[in-house]
Amino acid sequence: MIDISVIDTTIRATDPADNSVELDVVGWDRIDDHYTFTEPVDDVISARVSELALPANFPLLSEVFADGTARRRAAIDDESRLDIDPGSYRLLIEAPVQVTIRFDGEATIRSTDGELTISFPHPQRVSLGFTTWLKRPRETITVPRTPEGIATGLSHMSASIRAANSQKVTAMNRPHPPRIRYDDSLEVPDAVRNRTPETGIELRIPSSLEYLFPAAPLVYYLGARIRLGPGDPVLSIDGAERYRFESMPGFQYQCASLLRRVFLLDMLVRSDQHTDVPPQELDLFSLLEFDPATCVDFEPGPQLAYYLEADFERISHALPDWHFVGYVEPTLDHVEAIPYLLQYLATIYHPAAAPGSTSGGEAHRRWQRAPDTVPRRLVEGGPHGSAAVWMADGAPPDPTLFRASPAGFVNRPEYVDRAETAGSVVVVCNDASRTDECAAAVNRYRTTGPADIDLEVRTDLSCADLREQFERGADFLHFVGDCRDGLSCPDGTLALETLEQSHVRLFFLDGYDSLEAGETCIERGSVGGFVRGAGELNPAYRERLLGLFAQGLTVDQTVRYAALPADERGDVVALGDAHQQLARMLNLYCVPAVVEARDALTYQVEAYPYIPEAGFIWRPGPLNVEPRLCGNPFHLTMSGVQFESLVEFENLLPIEGDTVYWDSSRGLFYPLF
């Protein structure tokens, strides 16, 4: 999946989505003798070198021992020099394509202005491992259309996890789980069966889809096996009962709560034992009788037992909400979506569990405790925080839930290596009365979107030409025109169900009542996008929607934040896999932040760092503050100069009251100026 090129003194590694990293080298002499990597790498190149230099984010140096284990050695801060004695080392560097450097011997490491230099006293054998952040399923499990078959498939989802201890919280150690497809017989590929861990953890549940769906994320992360049987659900470790669940509806909430407990404790243990970027939340261990060092050598079963004994409720309120919640109708058709929801590590509930659902009742409300089982946003309202998806008939009870079907998630990996349309935006105007709207949209994408955007404007496309555009593809297609009975063209209407294939990754079907057309577009191959209801769109809302999306928000976040102020809420729905962005670089997630002037010189800022996947830490680059777990808001006091630096460095989205200041071309906003 990685293309490595050596041009003169530069090594360039590029993944299928054109994310890349470059290293400058001195004395490059290529060899085939590679070091062993215990962490995941997609490709390796080795040589003898005198010096390496590359941009570095949060470099982590570890010493590697004879048994292959690694222990962190030292933090490498900016403007520092580190001289290391002879030994075996691993240097991990975050980048658009992650870099792992393995070498033996002594070395000097310098960090200056965000660039890391590693120099050796004489030419040294070095292996460079490169890993893409992109994820796609590599195997398929075939199961019968029965609870027993599906339970077997879900029991093998953890085969994709590359670590048995707390290291599995990192996204790199959780590649995409296998797909599930139906046939009359069961078929588990040998590669999956051989990698499925034997943890001794088992979950017994009734033979019902209603239980299998919410159990899937917990079983996947724990590496547990599912056993179907009567009675209340029970979690056992090495044959001994350790946790007894209630029946539905409580079961789904207890699964989500237990997953959150285990994952966040893993996150803190890893931060304490394996990284040099400790988050503020590590201080919470002082409130518990909990020793993270004892967890390092635990097998999964004993570690889970230790976590179950911790008084987690004492610290739960200070830890992040769960980042992604799915309200999914438990049907055979929706089983296909489960591996893709697991890739995002979503918790899964029955649609009746959604806050505001008229079919939930008191049986659900007593379980809806933020942040333990329900993200605060879904209880308190507002745009900040966790995402939630609705996969059921009818409209969701909360309009901030995005709507999806399995197809959008299934289609997403198909665009990972489709580089020929990456960055391409096509605006089609098939309504002569809306040319001004079209021109405004084009201007917004051109001035606010990524610098390397490939923008094309097309007008009055015939049915044949519009069909050809969908089948040729684009990263994003904005169609301006009537969408009620297909997409209007000068010579008739294009019925999207007649498309052989849509190769348009994301879309905005900018016409009345375009939900049905959008759903059809996804069924034909697209991933997601924006669709409209029956209402008009305020011009200010439309510009804000397009500007936020062009600036880097996900489809889901764009719809949520474009609704500020509330009196300009537009009738637009996020559809499909709404975690997608126009800018596909994975390090460009935008950080919304509420700003309030305290006096003439200082500002109070509350930032909401969010990434669709769990397991990340956010540290505001220009500020000397401790990092926090993503999902927890940052409360910061800073000067105007610091605020300006933060906006530029972190792609910060300033919000004051109900106003979103999304247009950086108009100058940075200061509340008092």
Side-chain angles (χ1 to χ4, degrees):
M1 292 184 71
I2 301 293
D3 176 52
I4 303 175
S5 60
V6 182
I7 303 173
D8 295 329
T9 60
T10 299
I11 313 300
R12 180 182 175 89
T14 307
D15 73 9
D18 281 342
N19 299 312
S20 65
V21 63
E22 291 186 352
L23 298 88
D24 293 324
V25 297
V26 175
W28 180 264
D29 183 13
R30 179 79 176 269
I31 59 176
D32 294 327
D33 185 15
H34 301 315
Y35 283 101
T36 299
F37 290 80
T38 56
E39 59 287 315
V41 294
D42 291 314
D43 214 336
V44 178
I45 189 170
S46 297
R48 295 191 182 277
V49 301
S50 298
E51 186 174 284
L52 290 165
L54 73 162
N57 291 322
F58 312 127
L60 175 62
L61 180 69
S62 299
E63 188 169 2
V64 181
F65 301 103
D67 61 359
T69 61
R71 188 64 56 87
R72 62 178 179 172
R73 170 66 186 271
I76 303 172
D77 298 320
D78 202 18
E79 307 301 329
S80 66
R81 169 180 170 143
L82 179 66
D83 294 307
I84 56 176
D85 298 328
S88 186
Y89 298 97
R90 178 192 70 191
L91 187 61
L92 184 66
I93 297 164
E94 292 184 14
V97 174
Q98 184 170 271
V99 183
T100 307
I101 303 173
R102 284 279 284 112
F103 63 91
D104 291 338
E106 57 183 309
T108 297
I109 302 176
R110 297 179 180 87
S111 179
T112 306
D113 294 331
E115 180 171 272
L116 197 75
T117 302
I118 312 161
S119 56
F120 305 98
H122 51 79
Q124 172 64 50
R125 179 168 68 105
V126 171
S127 291
L128 307 176
F130 300 101
T131 310
T132 178
W133 293 89
L134 301 172
K135 294 185 178 183
R136 66 189 310 171
R138 300 188 181 186
E139 291 96 10
T140 300
I141 300 174
T142 304
V143 302
R145 296 172 65 91
T146 63
E148 291 73 20
I150 294 165
T152 300
L154 296 180
S155 294
H156 285 287
M157 290 291 103
S158 59
S160 63
I161 298 179
R162 291 170 167 165
N165 56 18
S166 60
Q167 294 280 34
K168 65 184 175 181
V169 299
T170 67
M172 282 295 186
N173 282 327
R174 287 183 285 108
H176 205 297
R179 305 177 191 88
I180 293 179
R181 73 176 183 90
Y182 290 125
D183 205 343
D184 293 337
S185 59
L186 175 69
E187 183 180 343
V188 181
D190 289 342
V192 174
R193 192 182 299 277
N194 294 339
R195 293 199 308 264
T196 302
E198 296 292 342
T199 63
I201 304 171
E202 182 182 84
L203 178 64
R204 190 197 71 206
I205 57 174
S207 179
S208 165
L209 293 181
E210 186 181 27
Y211 283 87
L212 283 166
F213 271 74
L218 182 64
V219 167
Y220 159 71
Y221 188 74
L222 295 181
R225 298 296 181 98
I226 297 175
R227 181 165 64 89
L228 301 181
D232 288 341
V234 170
L235 183 72
S236 60
I237 301 174
D238 295 329
E241 178 183 324
R242 299 306 300 257
Y243 191 99
R244 181 171 289 271
F245 298 83
E246 290 197 15
S247 59
M248 288 290 279
F251 172 73
Q252 60 194 322
Y253 295 97
Q254 290 175 303
C255 279
S257 178
L258 185 54
L259 174 62
R260 179 173 176 268
R261 168 196 287 251
V262 173
F263 184 90
L264 290 175
L265 287 175
D266 267 349
M267 190 75 180
L268 294 178
V269 168
R270 178 181 182 273
S271 298
D272 182 83
Q273 294 294 307
H274 299 287
T275 75
D276 288 303
V277 190
Q280 296 177 31
E281 290 85 355
L282 272 185
D283 293 341
L284 296 172
F285 275 147
S286 64
L287 302 177
L288 305 178
E289 293 182 4
F290 190 99
D291 180 8
T294 65
C295 301
V296 173
D297 298 321
F298 272 158
E299 293 296 318
Q303 180 170 316
L304 174 60
Y306 188 57
Y307 286 4
L308 289 173
E309 293 170 359
D311 189 7
F312 183 73
E313 289 72 19
R314 293 194 66 185
I315 65 172
S316 176
H317 68 283
L319 291 169
D321 296 0
W322 202 246
H323 63 290
F324 184 29
V325 178
Y327 296 99
V328 183
E329 191 73 39
T331 66
L332 287 171
D333 289 343
H334 283 166
V335 167
E336 187 179 23
I338 291 179
Y340 300 88
L341 293 172
L342 297 185
Q343 186 255 303
Y344 289 118
L345 203 58
T347 51
I348 302 176
Y349 293 94
H350 191 279
S357 171
T358 57
S359 60
E362 289 299 326
H364 288 271
R365 280 191 284 274
R366 76 181 184 91
W367 288 101
Q368 293 172 340
R369 299 187 298 268
D372 190 43
T373 60
V374 180
R376 294 176 179 92
R377 183 181 75 79
L378 300 183
V379 177
E380 301 169 0
H384 309 301
S386 307
V389 62
W390 179 261
M391 295 181 66
D393 292 336
D398 183 333
T400 65
L401 274 62
F402 67 88
R403 300 174 65 161
S405 64
F409 295 106
V410 171
N411 295 338
R412 179 193 52 77
E414 299 304 315
Y415 292 83
V416 164
D417 55 3
R418 198 169 293 173
E420 65 272 13
T421 59
S424 62
V425 173
V426 179
V427 179
V428 176
C429 185
N430 270 12
D431 186 340
S433 68
R434 299 176 60 190
T435 55
D436 288 346
E437 290 180 15
C438 182
V442 170
N443 180 65
R444 185 48 52 213
Y445 298 134
R446 181 172 287 125
T447 58
T448 311
D452 59 350
I453 194 171
D454 179 14
L455 183 62
E456 182 181 3
V457 183
R458 307 186 69 184
T459 59
D460 299 325
L461 291 190
S462 66
C463 289
D465 288 341
L466 187 57
R467 179 190 303 276
E468 186 271 339
Q469 178 65 68
F470 271 97
E471 294 179 350
R472 173 158 51 96
D475 219 24
F476 178 59
L477 186 147
H478 184 164
F479 177 83
V480 180
D482 190 1
C483 303
R484 279 172 284 198
D485 298 306
L487 305 189
S488 62
C489 301
D491 59 345
T493 300
L494 175 63
L496 290 174
E497 58 267 21
T498 65
L499 291 177
E500 182 176 342
Q501 183 78 27
S502 171
H503 290 144
V504 169
R505 183 174 69 98
L506 299 173
F507 54 77
F508 181 12
L509 301 185
D510 194 354
Y512 296 123
D513 294 328
S514 57
L515 174 61
E516 184 176 343
E519 291 174 336
T520 304
C521 197
I522 290 173
E523 292 299 325
R524 288 295 182 269
S526 294
V527 178
F530 307 97
V531 293
R532 286 179 52 185
E536 290 281 354
L537 296 187
N538 182 293
Y541 170 84
R542 178 190 297 279
E543 186 178 32
R544 190 162 60 248
L545 181 86
L546 302 182
L548 289 169
F549 184 55
Q551 185 167 311
L553 264 66
T554 66
V555 172
D556 166 54
Q557 288 178 307
T558 296
V559 171
R560 283 193 261 152
Y561 284 96
L564 294 177
D567 59 358
E568 289 182 5
R569 183 185 300 273
D571 193 5
V572 172
V573 174
L575 199 65
D577 182 350
H579 289 318
Q580 302 300 297
Q581 302 163 275
L582 176 63
R584 295 173 67 185
M585 291 282 288
L586 299 185
N587 60 334
L588 291 183
Y589 286 106
C590 193
V591 180
V594 175
V595 57
E596 181 181 353
R598 295 187 63 183
D599 52 45
L601 298 176
T602 58
Y603 302 93
Q604 187 70 41
V605 178
E606 187 166 284
Y608 296 89
Y610 175 78
I611 293 177
E613 291 189 68
F616 289 88
I617 291 173
W618 190 64
R619 178 170 62 181
L623 304 178
N624 185 25
V625 297
E626 286 185 297
R628 299 202 73 186
L629 304 182
C630 268
N632 259 348
F634 265 78
H635 303 277
L636 304 167
T637 301
M638 65 185 70
S639 68
V641 173
Q642 289 175 314
F643 181 55
E644 183 175 7
S645 177
L646 190 64
V647 169
E648 180 179 359
F649 190 89
E650 295 289 354
N651 196 18
L652 208 71
L653 179 69
I655 302 168
E656 188 216 8
D658 270 350
T659 303
V660 181
Y661 292 85
W662 54 268
D663 189 356
S664 58
S665 68
R666 296 175 182 173
L668 184 61
F669 163 74
Y670 291 116
L672 295 181
F673 293 5

